[in-house]
Amino acid sequence: VLVIGGALAALALLRWHELGLWALVMAVPDGTWFPLPTGFGNLTAVDLLVVLVSVLWLARLIVQDRGITIRLPPLSLPFALFLGAALLSMTITLSLEASIKEFTKWLEMFAVYVYVANTLDPAKAQRVLAVILLAGISEAAIGIYQFMFKWGPDGFLLFGRFIRAFGTFEQPNPYAGYLALIAPVALGVAFTVNSQQSAVNSKTDHKSLFTVYRSLFTSRLLLVLLGIVSLVAMLTAVAMSWSRGAWLGV
């Protein structure tokens, strides 16, 4: 099962490397469950997926374009300056192992940023947004369950009746911080789709309204509904985390 399943997954990723990005999005909250120990800390599913997505993308560039042509997105220069400053700070670090671990995270973020900017068209971006919102909903559901049914360590006990929501992050504060990053995206998706719908309606006569609404239902209405549901769920979970910093952040 593992060999055949792995082979099918590898073929699917070679054909649609966008699936690797979806897996990467879902692995962010859950990727630390099965760490692989190394000399510089633990490798997680996120680390492996960043490498896999990057290698598959470069391989496709070589095959399709007979070479590697990468467009640097607008924030590349400030990002590179930040990475350079972080690299210089490692010369006076108190822990080289910890510094390499944290620097690798920022390097991976830059790699994903360049990948997304070069490969995602509006249709792919819409699908990735849906996966991000689904990841937020799943984490929110775990936290709400923990809060309501007191599933967690006694140190997170709240008012003697509830448990602070912490999801798969082991601590309420990073859990709430994760949701606080996705919640504004959910709100933005809802506002953007509604504004696009209003703009389309204002430029459309009655004969083509049916066509417009059919396209909205098939391609955008589901996304905006997903955005609203995820927004409500994530804000509820952030409140249940009792993380005041995340409250202020939201």
Side-chain angles (χ1 to χ4, degrees), residues 46-68:
V46 174
D47 303 318
L48 298 176
L49 282 168
V50 170
V51 174
L52 180 63
V53 168
S54 301
V55 169
L56 290 175
W57 173 45
L58 295 177
R60 289 200 60 171
L61 286 178
I62 294 174
V63 172
Q64 292 181 348
D65 303 334
R66 300 295 190 269
I68 297 177

Side-chain angles (χ1 to χ4, degrees), residues 52-94:
L52 180 63
V53 168
S54 301
V55 169
L56 290 175
W57 173 45
L58 295 177
R60 289 200 60 171
L61 286 178
I62 294 174
V63 172
Q64 292 181 348
D65 303 334
R66 300 295 190 269
I68 297 177
T69 303
I70 298 176
R71 177 177 59 86
L72 292 178
L75 294 179
S76 296
L77 179 58
F79 216 132
L81 291 174
F82 174 80
L83 289 174
L87 197 59
L88 286 175
S89 72
M90 292 170 60
T91 59
I92 56 171
T93 181
L94 298 177

Side-chain angles (χ1 to χ4, degrees), residues 25 31 82 148 156 158 172-173 177 204 216 238:
V25 170
F82 174 80
M148 298 299 297
F156 296 161
L158 197 64
N173 290 327
T204 308
L216 285 170
V238 169

Side-chain angles (χ1 to χ4, degrees), residues 131-213:
V131 175
I132 291 173
L133 297 177
L134 286 173
I137 290 176
S138 64
E139 274 298 308
I142 295 173
I144 293 172
Y145 178 86
Q146 292 166 339
F147 180 85
M148 298 299 297
F149 295 97
K150 296 177 63 174
W151 188 74
D154 293 337
F156 296 161
L157 193 63
L158 197 64
F159 306 127
R161 298 179 54 190
F162 306 106
I163 288 288
R164 293 179 64 184
F166 60 94
T168 59
F169 286 80
E170 299 181 354
Q171 294 288 338
N173 290 327
Y175 167 74
Y178 170 78
L179 295 180
L181 289 174
I182 304 179
V185 177
L187 184 63
V189 167
F191 274 112
T192 301
V193 174
N194 285 336
S195 64
Q196 289 174 345
Q197 179 179 350
S198 300
V200 170
N201 288 345
S202 64
K203 299 177 182 178
T204 308
D205 57 19
H206 292 286
K207 292 182 180 180
S208 57
L209 272 179
F210 175 76
T211 304
V212 172
Y213 278 105

